[in-house]
Amino acid sequence: MEISMEMPFEEFENYSYALDYYSLESELEEQVPLEIVHWISLLLYVLAIVLGIPGNAIVIWFMGFKWKKTVTTLWFLNLAIADFIFVLFLPLYISYVALRFHWPFGLWLCKANSFIAQLNMFSSVFFLTVISLDRYIHLVHPVLSHRHRTLKNALVVVLFVWLLASLLGGPTLYFRDTLEVNNHIICYNNFQGHDPDLIVVRHHILTWVKFLFGYLLPLLTMSSCYLCLIFKVKKRNILMSSKHFWTILSVVIAFMVCWTPYHVFSVWELTLHHNSSFQSMLQGAIPLSTGLAFVNSCLNPILYVLISKKFQARFRASVAEVLKRSLWEVSCSGTASEQLRSAETKSLSPLETAQ
């Protein structure tokens, strides 16, 4: 069984049941565009790390340790945690691509890396859905929100989201496997069936579960919330912070823009088992759409800074407080050192001082 190393076995859903569709005997003119696509996708992965690690770390630091705990900050804190965990594992995937799709990290990291990617996808979209529902209930049903919108209940929702995301991403831990092909070890979905039809069914089920629960249903829920919210706000003249509204909406739109191509091509890839005429297009489209999905993990902190004036003000105040405290500690340290040296000098005898 031959596999083209020009074909990226992308991290979320591999071409598991169609490994024999690709051969090493591809034309040069087909290889060159794919090389360009792979370099572009690699740059997107690096961009996600460079911006995602410090950006999400800052959000976690301030929302988790510096600012007052509220229901809203709890949502965004967990959204940042999901993105931060993912970008920490992203160097493994970058190495995989840079090594011509050779996975030297072993079976368990293959499973863990893929699981973290799935966990990030599901938890991110679930927290965005919760944020949208929370904003709708808070503004349209204030009595209900006041009665039940507590930190304790929010923590229960957070735990439920993480549990649900883990359950939906769990099959990755079971099916993900490593295989040596042409001196390359690939990390792929091994659907462990000798019946080709069973393998196809398993692949279809996982892909459609990912599409429905990780994209379509949350997208419909978020869209309904914001459409109803806009309608209710105009009809009832409800006061609403436009900056806060646009911050949340921009985060949702960013998720849609980044993840829509990936889900579209993942579903489209299912037809490859029956029709390989789109093989070349998918070979270029899937790594690019995957890279775009990765970039979403670094966008949220940037959107907070660019749009939310409240976030900017609180961020500047927190930074100023940290700098002030650091300078005060340095000043106190310097004063203490001077006092210590002065005390030591006074304790010396005149002869010792002269010497």
Side-chain angles (χ1 to χ4, degrees):
M1 178 172 55
E2 293 183 332
I3 306 173
S4 170
M5 290 302 110
E6 300 298 326
M7 180 61 211
F9 292 86
E10 52 91 13
E11 198 60 38
F12 295 128
E13 279 293 339
N14 218 323
Y15 291 76
S16 318
Y17 65 81
L19 291 178
D20 55 339
Y21 286 179
Y22 310 101
S23 69
L24 290 172
E25 299 174 357
S26 55
E27 297 296 330
L28 181 61
E29 59 269 18
E30 294 180 355
Q31 292 180 2
V32 173
L34 286 178
E35 285 292 326
I36 296 174
V37 166
H38 295 163
W39 278 109
I40 294 174
S41 61
L42 192 60
L43 289 176
L44 291 175
Y45 307 153
V46 173
L47 179 66
I49 290 181
V50 171
L51 298 179
I53 290 180
N56 287 293
I58 289 173
V59 173
I60 292 171
W61 170 251
F62 286 110
M63 289 191 175
F65 300 98
K66 304 299 294 182
W67 295 351
K68 181 182 177 181
K69 299 295 185 298
T70 65
V71 173
T72 301
T73 58
L74 189 63
W75 304 143
F76 284 103
L77 171 63
N78 280 272
L79 185 61
I81 290 174
D83 289 334
F84 186 69
I85 294 174
F86 172 67
V87 293
L88 285 181
F89 275 77
L90 197 51
L92 294 178
Y93 185 71
I94 291 178
S95 301
Y96 185 42
V97 177
L99 293 172
R100 309 295 296 170
F101 309 104
H102 170 64
W103 185 265
F105 306 110
L107 174 62
W108 288 108
L109 275 180
C110 168
K111 291 178 178 290
N113 193 44
S114 302
F115 173 72
I116 291 296
Q118 293 277 351
L119 182 67
N120 167 259
M121 180 188 68
F122 284 115
S123 59
S124 294
V125 73
F126 289 162
F127 279 119
L128 289 175
T129 306
V130 168
I131 290 170
S132 302
L133 288 169
D134 175 64
R135 185 54 27 188
Y136 172 79
I137 296 172
H138 181 65
L139 292 173
V140 178
H141 304 285
V143 176
L144 181 65
S145 175
H146 180 73
R147 184 181 306 165
H148 299 287
R149 194 175 186 266
T150 63
L151 275 177
K152 182 179 179 181
N153 290 339
L155 284 172
V156 173
V157 174
V158 166
L159 292 175
F160 176 76
V161 167
W162 282 112
L163 178 61
L164 181 60
S166 300
L167 289 175
L168 290 173
T172 302
L173 292 174
Y174 179 74
F175 288 118
R176 211 64 175 175
D177 200 357
T178 56
L179 175 68
E180 185 173 353
V181 181
N182 297 334
N183 297 321
H184 276 70
I185 299 175
I186 61 171
C187 177
Y188 77 113
N189 281 332
N190 181 3
F191 290 121
Q192 302 171 346
H194 300 289
D195 182 1
D197 292 332
L198 178 61
I199 296 175
V200 172
V201 168
R202 289 175 174 175
H203 189 194
H204 276 246
I205 290 175
L206 288 183
T207 301
W208 283 110
V209 166
K210 179 182 63 178
F211 176 75
L212 292 174
F213 292 96
Y215 180 74
L216 185 59
L217 294 180
L219 179 60
L220 292 176
T221 303
M222 289 185 284
S223 301
S224 301
C225 284
Y226 284 108
L227 288 175
C228 292
L229 187 59
I230 292 172
F231 176 75
K232 296 289 185 181
V233 165
K234 289 184 177 181
K235 185 177 180 179
R236 300 183 184 180
N237 294 322
I238 300 174
L239 293 177
M240 178 176 62
S241 171
S242 60
K243 288 295 182 181
H244 186 70
F245 174 80
W246 284 111
T247 300
I248 298 176
L249 188 59
S250 65
V251 172
V252 174
I253 292 174
F255 184 91
M256 290 171 51
V257 171
C258 291
W259 282 97
T260 297
Y262 167 75
H263 285 287
V264 169
F265 288 118
S266 292
V267 173
W268 194 4
E269 184 263 329
L270 294 176
T271 65
L272 193 63
H273 182 65
H274 306 288
N275 184 359
S276 60
S277 60
F278 299 111
Q279 173 182 323
S280 298
M281 180 181 293
L282 287 174
Q283 285 181 342
I286 285 186
L288 284 179
S289 61
T290 304
L292 185 62
F294 288 173
V295 168
N296 182 250
S297 298
C298 71
L299 284 182
N300 293 340
I302 298 174
L303 293 174
Y304 303 155
V305 173
L306 291 180
I307 297 177
S308 176
K309 298 293 184 182
K310 186 176 181 180
F311 185 92
Q312 295 175 23
R314 295 177 69 178
F315 179 79
R316 285 194 295 266
S318 299
V319 171
E321 180 186 349
V322 171
L323 291 175
K324 182 179 179 181
R325 184 176 301 174
S326 299
L327 291 173
W328 182 80
E329 290 176 353
V330 170
S331 175
C332 289
S333 177
T335 303
S337 298
E338 292 175 0
Q339 292 175 348
L340 181 61
R341 286 197 299 269
S342 177
E344 290 177 347
T345 302
K346 289 180 180 179
S347 65
L348 294 175
S349 64
L351 180 59
E352 290 173 324
T353 305
Q355 291 176 347

